[in-house]
Every structure is written in structure tokens, then in C-alpha cells.
Amino acid sequence: MGPGLEISYWLTLRSGRCHSFPSLTSYQFTESTHFLAKSLAMADVVQYRLERMVDELDDLERRGLFTRHEISEIVKQRRKFEYRLKRPSPLKQDYLAYIEYESQLDALRRLRKKSIGRDEGRERRVSKKMKKSVSDFSGVARILEIYRLAVMRFKGDIELWFKYMEFCRQRKNGRMKKVLAQVIRFHPKVPGVWIYAAAWEFDHNLNVTAARALMQNGLRVCPTSEELWVEYLRMELTYLNKLKARKVALGEDKGTLVRDHRDADEKRWINENKGLFMPLDGEVENTDGSQPENMESQKSVDLFREQGLRVLQTIYSGAVEALPSSFNLRQRFFEIVEATNLAQSDDMHDKILSDMQRDFLVDPKYWDWLARLKMTDSVSKDGTSEDIVPSQMQKAIQVYEEALKNVPSSMIFDLYTKFLMDMIAPKKEETRDSELPSHVEHYISHLLTVYEKAEAMGCLTEDIAHRYVTLYLQLGKLDEARKLAAKLCSGKLSDSVQLWLLRISVEIRCVTRNSFSPSKADILSIFELLKCILTKVSALESESLWLMALKFFMNQKHYFDKLVEIALISVAKDGGGESGFSLPSAIINLVIQKDGIQQAREMYKRFLALPRPGLVLYQNCIELENNLASVGDKDSLVNARKLFESALATYDQNTSLWRDYYSTETKLGTSETATAVYWRARKTLKDSTALTALPDS
């Protein structure tokens, strides 16, 4: 219905001549009236918004930035977007698509403006072309208005709010303050909102008082936010550091609040070698190695460092009170103290460590962090084990040993062994004949002792045991790894598939060490080990073991047949499963490679005869037959149909299965068989939405 017909129809309805539409009931007439009224109101609003763009569009054409045809296309696109936004329930994507279009359009306008400015003469460019006009501001204003409409409709979408604020920040628009007030009102429980607002006040407005007030308000509303506490401390220390930097620039002070570890190392070296230096110009050092305080600047107290310490103590106390059980918060505060040069920072350093020991004495993460802290700067950037400082390594080991006394648990052993492995890991690729450094051999010996201790205390988990055996393999001690794996698999970890997989792989390496063709006794031994674990756990849990077993015995028909029998029992007991690993499919694929399609068909018939065969098995068998049918095998299409019918007897509500059946008949069957499958699917599924995956016939 065109605009003229719409208006004529609307005038007719308003005149009350309902008799002109005898097919409409009174209710239908009222509903039609309301619908048309809403449509016309929407059109009026869209037209009004488009008319307000006339000045901008005229300016774009007058300045030569866009042609008349391009402006017509812009109007067309904007009308489409405006109608989307005026729908009863516009989507978030509608707003974002409109914003994206306007952003690209404004970027194109700026590029063309620069291009015209380069092409024109300097005088003309300065006098006319580079002057600001309505088109320079309208694009950003429109994007801001779309953002405003979007966040008012989707007030709970915090991601949309952040996009709005980021756009305001990038374009340096004056609306930022109002947007921040709105997002804080709607999302006061989101810590990131307070941090963003405070950062804007601090960095953009240079208003420390407002930024501090925002952070403090945020902490009152979100006292359990770690990020807020840490960012508040960083902001205060950054402010003090800026004040101190200003003093330095004016020549009234020296140094910063940021700790320079290179200076600390240099001072330590000078103190250790002070006998090598001779005083100049009559300067005499004190007995403690410090210079005499004979200058006014040296006598003065660094107020900024003391103020920073007070700020740190105050915020630290509040954070610990609000989050007494947060280890991560204490760790981050400690890192800030380490990186900041404050008055009496060593005392604060010791206080945080003391508080952490008091509150996290039974937390394994604390002990692991403390031990690794002892190793700071002990390993060079390239991470080679030659650079390990033995004294610091010994301190870290002492921390772990103390942890075992306080918290004897599997977690401590897990962290302890990982730490030692990290220290010797760079040497794991060395050959057995290469000579390791003495301290590395000592750490390897100590690591083995820790593993033995974990086993003796009953703290050996599956992961620790796996690393225990793997260490022997990395050291080239195959026989020791074999004995250890056998011992562990016969203990409390006898149900660990991961450990059994490692044990079988070690056994295979042992029997094939001297010859690629193991003896019958060795093959029987490996089969018995596999049988021991494969009959205990389900096929889904032991996927890796089954794949290893099938691959190893693929050419041993006697043992392969026995594995098939075990698989039949396992599938009958646990079911084939509808997703994930399919043991029958793995066996069928191997049989195809070994014996051909006829044997594979016999094999899948055996598995399909079991109760509850999985959908994955049906799909794999159907795919096999479809592939053969596509290359001209006449029996394959018949077999595929039988498989589909058998599968649908159990999984008749599976839309994907019906779609595959219809696709097969369309490609390989006839139009009659395809149509029959389609109507059967519609009748069985009874869900019109589910049928959307099926093409209409």
C-alpha cells in the first residue's frame, strides 16, 4: 500500500464510513485503526528526524564532500535505520549497526575533507575549506544520540555503557560528565564504573579531589572489590609521585617514589667494596657508610615519601578489614610496596609478610608464593639452570619443608614438585650421557626424595604420580620408571586411566627397546595389563587406552579379536553413547583399513545388535555407506536406508537425523523417496520450528 493509498484509507476511517469496508467487524475495524495510527505516527517521527538532517546534507553537498547520488543513498540508509529504531521492540544490534554506519560515514567525511584541503590552494584551504561547519559536528552528535537511546533502552547492558563512555572520551565530548553520572546511578555495584569515572577525572580533568571522592564512594558501595582497593592505592601514589616530579623539575628535590632496583644494587655493591674508594675534597664517610648530613637538603625530611607511607598504611588497613581472606589482595599490595620507594618501606614490607603468615598459614598458595619470592632475581632471563643461586634455592626449599610441617597435604607436594621441576626443566632435553651440573643433580635427587616422601605420607595424587614416573623417563631410567609405574598402578591409584596409559606406554617401550618385533610372552604380558584396566573402566573414560591397544594389536588377529570381545561387553554394559568417543566406530575404521568393507559391515552389525547403540555409531555407519553409494556401490544405498530406519526407531525426534535422511534421498534416491521422508519428518517431529532445518519440497 503506497503513501497515497494509506492517507486515503486513513481519511476514510476517520470519517467513520465503516460501511465502505463490509468485510471488517467492529473489533477488526478498531484494531486496524490503531495499527494504522501507530504506523503513521512512526512515519511522522522518522520523517521529522530526516528533515532535521537537511542542513547537514546540504552542507556536505555544498562543500563537495559527497555527491547528490551519495546523499540520496545516505538518506535511504538512515531511513532504514530510523524505522528499525522506531519498532515496538528494537534490538541492541539495530542500534550498534546504526552507530557503525554513522562512524564509517563520519570517517569517510574526514578523509575527503583532508583530501580536498590538500588539493586546494593554501589560501583557499585556510579561508573556506578548513572552517568548521554544521557537517563537522552533526555526525558525532548523531552517534551520541543513538548511544543515548540505546543505553536508555538497555540500561542493564554494562558493555554498551562502556562503549558509550569510550566514544565520549575519544571524541572529547562535553557529555562525558553526564554519562558518568547516569552509569553510576544505574550500575553502582560495578567496580569498573567507579574506576573508569575516577580515571577520567584524574587523567582528563586533572581533578584529584573529584577522583578521590569517586574512589571513596565506590569503596563504600563495593567494599569487597579487590580491584577498587588496588586502583585507589595506585591513584594516590601516582598523585604523590607527580607532585614529587614537579618538585624535581623545579630543582627543589630529587628522586621519585618509584623504586629503581639498579640503584639499590649499585649502593649495595659500593657498600660491600667501600675499601676500594678514596674520599675526595675532604669528604669523610661515617662508620656506617653514609655521608655526613652537612647539607640542608640531606637534613630535610622527604615529606612525599612519608605521606606515601601514611596513604599506604591507611588503604592497606581498610582493605584488609574489608577483605580479610583475600590472599591475592595482600600479594598485590606487597608488589606495590616492592615497586615503590617510600619512607620505612622495609617495615611495611615486613608487616605485610607478617600479616600474611598470620592469616594464611594453612593456605598452600601462600607457601608457594613465599618460596618463589625467595627465588626473585635468582634465575636469569634465559632461565638456564646454571644461573640458579644455590643459597636462594636453599631458602625456597626450606620454605616448602616448613610448609609440609604446617600443612601436610597433596596440594603442598604438588606445588613443591612443580617448583623443583621448574628449576631443572631446562635440562630435561639433555641426553643420558651428558654430564649435568652438580647443583642440578642435587636438585633432581632432592625431587625424587620429595616424591618418595609424598608416597610415604599418602599424598600421592594422580598428577603427582604421573610426574614422578615421567621424571624417571626424562632421566633415561626406563627400568626404574617401569617398576615405579607397576607399583603405583597396583596401589590406591589402580583406577587411574592416566597412570595406566603411562604404564602401558612404558611397557611397550621396554619390550620394543631392543627389537621392533616383541616376543609372544611380551605381547601376552601387555595384553593382560590392558585387559586388567579395560574391563574395569568404561570406554568413554579410557579412550586413550583403547586407541593405544587397537593400534598396537591391529596386526595381531588373535589379540585384536579378543579386544573386540572386550569392547562388545563394555558397550553392552555402558551403552554406545550419543556423543563423544565411539569405541565401535574406532574399531570399524580399523577393520576397513585391515580387511575391507565386507568385514566392516559384519563388525558394525555386531555392535548394532547390542542394546542401546549410540547415535554416533549409526551416523558413522551411515556416512560409510553413503560414501560408497556415491561412488556407485549399489548395495550401499539399501544399507544406508536400513541404518536410517533402525536409528529412527530409537532417535525419531532427532532433527539432524531426519535432515541427513532427506539429504541422502535427495542426492542418491528419487524424488518420490525424498518427498516421503520429508512428510514423515513433518508428521513425526510435530514442531514447525524444528522443520526449518528441512527444505520445503
Side-chain angles (χ1 to χ4, degrees):
M1 181 182 293
L5 292 177
E6 286 183 356
I7 295 174
S8 176
Y9 181 45
W10 171 243
L11 292 175
T12 303
L13 291 176
R14 289 196 60 182
S15 66
R17 289 180 291 171
C18 184
H19 60 275
S20 300
F21 307 94
S23 61
L24 293 178
T25 64
S26 176
Y27 174 77
Q28 290 172 334
F29 177 78
T30 304
E31 288 297 310
S32 300
T33 304
H34 290 167
F35 173 76
L36 190 56
K38 290 180 180 178
S39 300
L40 291 176
M42 180 192 301
D44 289 342
V45 172
V46 171
Q47 186 64 26
Y48 171 72
R49 291 178 64 86
L50 291 175
E51 288 175 357
R52 295 185 63 184
M53 304 175 190
V54 171
D55 293 340
E56 171 202 350
L57 298 174
D58 286 343
D59 186 58
L60 290 174
E61 184 180 6
R62 184 173 60 255
R63 303 176 74 185
L65 297 175
F66 291 94
T67 64
R68 181 173 291 274
H69 176 72
E70 289 174 330
I71 290 175
S72 299
E73 186 64 26
I74 292 172
V75 173
K76 180 180 177 181
Q77 291 296 325
R78 285 179 176 175
R79 180 182 285 111
K80 180 183 69 173
F81 283 120
E82 291 289 346
Y83 269 111
R84 285 185 184 179
L85 299 191
K86 295 305 295 180
R87 292 187 300 180
S89 298
L91 304 175
K92 174 185 172 182
Q93 190 57 37
D94 296 335
Y95 293 96
L96 295 179
Y98 198 0
I99 291 169
E100 179 66 20
Y101 173 76
E102 289 294 339
S103 299
Q104 293 180 359
L105 183 64
D106 193 57
L108 178 60
R109 180 196 62 79
R110 293 197 302 270
L111 286 175
R112 289 187 176 182
K113 181 180 176 181
K114 290 180 180 179
S115 178
I116 292 175
R118 287 193 299 266
D119 294 339
E120 296 290 337
R122 179 179 179 84
E123 182 179 352
R124 180 175 176 81
R125 181 173 70 246
V126 173
S127 61
K128 294 184 178 181
K129 290 297 180 179
M130 298 307 293
K131 287 183 179 179
K132 298 289 184 180
S133 62
V134 62
S135 61
D136 293 311
F137 309 101
S138 56
V140 173
R142 183 173 297 104
I143 294 173
L144 289 170
E145 179 62 16
I146 300 169
Y147 265 124
R148 186 190 68 80
L149 295 173
V151 296
M152 287 298 102
R153 180 162 188 85
F154 303 98
K155 297 182 180 68
D157 194 328
I158 190 64
E159 181 184 356
L160 189 60
W161 278 103
F162 274 112
K163 286 183 178 180
Y164 188 13
M165 293 187 293
E166 191 63 19
F167 181 81
C168 292
R169 185 189 65 81
Q170 290 175 354
R171 295 306 177 92
K172 299 180 180 179
N173 188 268
R175 195 181 293 192
M176 187 66 165
K177 211 169 187 67
K178 182 179 179 181
V179 176
L180 286 173
Q182 288 178 323
V183 72
I184 288 173
R185 185 169 74 250
F186 289 122
H187 297 279
K189 295 291 185 179
V190 179
V193 168
W194 297 99
I195 295 172
Y196 193 98
W200 185 78
E201 290 286 357
F202 187 84
D203 296 327
H204 182 268
N205 281 354
L206 304 179
N207 191 340
V208 180
T209 304
R212 183 180 293 117
L214 284 168
M215 278 292 192
Q216 291 173 352
N217 288 334
L219 288 172
R220 278 191 285 270
V221 178
C222 310
T224 58
S225 170
E226 293 182 11
E227 202 65 32
L228 260 177
W229 285 107
V230 173
E231 291 303 323
Y232 182 33
L233 175 60
R234 284 178 177 165
M235 186 192 75
E236 292 288 2
L237 293 179
T238 301
Y239 175 57
L240 288 174
N241 200 45
K242 285 185 175 182
L243 292 179
K244 188 172 178 64
R246 181 174 178 272
K247 283 273 189 180
V248 172
L250 295 174
E252 300 175 7
D253 206 341
K254 62 179 181 178
T256 65
L257 296 182
V258 180
R259 186 187 298 275
D260 191 339
H261 293 284
R262 291 176 300 178
D263 292 345
D265 295 339
E266 183 179 349
K267 290 178 181 178
R268 184 170 60 251
W269 184 85
I270 291 174
N271 289 332
E272 293 174 354
N273 301 274
K274 59 185 178 180
L276 300 176
F277 298 91
M278 77 187 318
L280 299 175
D281 299 332
E283 293 182 1
V284 180
E285 292 185 346
N286 294 332
T287 56
D288 58 353
S290 62
Q291 296 290 337
E293 299 180 356
N294 54 359
M295 298 175 63
E296 188 65 26
S297 61
Q298 291 175 326
K299 293 179 181 178
S300 62
V301 180
D302 193 336
L303 298 179
F304 292 109
R305 295 177 66 221
E306 287 197 345
Q307 179 65 18
L309 178 64
R310 286 194 293 270
V311 168
L312 175 60
Q313 289 172 337
T314 303
I315 298 177
Y316 173 75
S317 300
V320 170
E321 183 179 355
L323 293 163
S325 60
S326 175
F327 173 75
N328 186 54
L329 180 65
R330 311 282 186 94
Q331 182 180 346
R332 296 175 73 177
F333 269 88
F334 183 86
E335 291 170 356
I336 292 174
V337 172
E338 285 282 279
T340 311
N341 185 21
L342 301 176
Q344 302 176 8
S345 58
D346 291 339
D347 294 339
M348 194 65 195
H349 175 280
D350 295 338
K351 174 176 172 54
I352 295 178
L353 283 179
S354 176
D355 291 346
M356 292 174 75
Q357 184 177 10
R358 178 196 65 205
D359 298 335
F360 303 102
L361 189 64
V362 295
D363 189 348
K365 291 188 297 182
Y366 161 71
W367 292 103
D368 183 57
W369 172 80
L370 184 61
R372 291 180 182 273
L373 183 65
K374 302 293 184 182
M375 291 298 299
T376 303
D377 298 328
S378 67
V379 180
S380 66
K381 292 182 180 179
D382 58 358
T384 55
S385 55
E386 287 87 356
D387 297 313
I388 297 175
V389 179
S391 61
Q392 292 178 319
M393 183 70 177
Q394 192 59 37
K395 290 179 182 178
I397 290 175
Q398 289 174 0
V399 171
Y400 281 114
E401 292 295 334
E402 185 179 354
L404 288 176
K405 297 177 182 177
N406 290 277
V407 196
S409 62
S410 300
M411 179 64 74
I412 289 292
F413 277 108
D414 185 59
L415 297 171
Y416 193 0
T417 53
K418 283 181 178 178
F419 169 77
L420 292 172
M421 283 298 297
D422 290 342
M423 294 299 105
I424 64 175
K427 285 295 175 183
K428 66 183 180 181
E429 297 179 357
E430 295 282 349
T431 60
R432 289 180 297 174
D433 298 330
S434 61
E435 185 177 352
L436 295 175
S438 59
H439 62 277
V440 175
E441 290 183 348
H442 171 72
Y443 298 144
I444 292 174
S445 176
H446 183 72
L447 177 57
L448 292 173
T449 303
V450 174
Y451 279 129
E452 293 172 0
K453 190 174 183 179
E455 183 183 3
M457 296 176 63
C459 297
L460 209 61
T461 63
E462 184 177 353
D463 290 336
I464 298 176
H466 190 275
R467 292 200 299 271
Y468 191 5
V469 178
T470 303
L471 178 60
Y472 276 117
L473 293 176
Q474 292 174 349
L475 295 174
K477 300 179 179 180
L478 194 59
D479 293 330
E480 288 83 348
R482 183 181 190 180
K483 294 177 183 177
L484 177 61
K487 181 175 68 171
L488 295 177
C489 287
S490 61
K492 69 173 186 177
L493 298 174
S494 58
D495 293 335
S496 171
V497 176
Q498 181 186 12
L499 204 55
W500 271 98
L501 180 63
L502 183 59
R503 181 186 179 186
I504 300 299
S505 64
V506 171
E507 292 289 342
I508 292 175
R509 287 178 61 179
C510 287
V511 300
T512 57
R513 178 169 41 184
N514 299 321
S515 174
F516 288 105
S517 56
S519 64
K520 294 182 178 180
D522 291 333
I523 294 177
L524 177 61
S525 173
I526 293 174
F527 177 80
E528 292 298 329
L529 289 175
L530 283 167
K531 181 180 178 181
C532 179
I533 184 63
L534 293 178
T535 55
K536 291 172 63 175
V537 297
S538 66
L540 188 61
E541 296 174 340
S542 56
E543 174 183 354
S544 301
L545 271 172
W546 272 108
L547 294 176
M548 175 185 284
L550 293 172
K551 182 179 180 181
F552 184 78
F553 291 106
M554 183 172 63
N555 297 320
Q556 304 286 336
K557 187 177 186 308
H558 175 69
Y559 292 107
F560 188 84
D561 292 341
K562 286 188 175 183
L563 283 176
V564 171
E565 296 298 329
I566 297 174
L568 288 167
I569 296 173
S570 177
V571 173
K573 181 174 64 175
D574 302 321
E578 297 185 12
S579 61
F581 173 64
S582 174
L583 176 59
S585 299
I587 294 175
I588 292 166
N589 291 334
L590 281 176
V591 171
I592 292 175
Q593 298 176 26
K594 288 189 328 105
D595 306 319
I597 184 61
Q598 293 302 327
Q599 293 297 325
R601 284 172 176 161
E602 294 297 326
M603 185 63 67
Y604 76 61
K605 288 178 182 178
R606 294 178 66 184
F607 281 105
L608 291 176
L610 298 174
R612 297 176 293 124
L615 180 60
V616 175
L617 175 60
Y618 277 115
Q619 291 173 335
N620 288 339
C621 295
I622 289 169
E623 182 181 3
L624 170 65
E625 297 293 354
N626 283 344
N627 291 337
L628 291 173
S630 63
V631 295
D633 192 323
K634 298 180 179 179
D635 297 331
S636 296
L637 182 58
V638 177
N639 293 331
R641 287 170 176 163
K642 290 179 180 179
L643 289 169
F644 272 119
E645 296 297 336
S646 179
L648 289 171
T650 307
Y651 305 101
D652 61 333
Q653 296 300 313
N654 189 284
T655 307
S656 177
L657 190 60
W658 281 107
R659 185 173 62 249
D660 292 342
Y661 197 0
Y662 179 80
S663 177
T664 299
E665 291 295 348
T666 303
K667 295 177 182 178
L668 304 174
T670 63
S671 59
E672 291 80 5
T673 57
T675 303
V677 170
Y678 174 77
W679 287 110
R680 281 179 59 196
R682 288 181 61 91
K683 182 178 179 181
T684 304
L685 294 174
K686 299 178 182 179
D687 185 2
S688 58
T689 59
L691 291 174
T692 55
L694 293 172
D696 202 351
S697 60

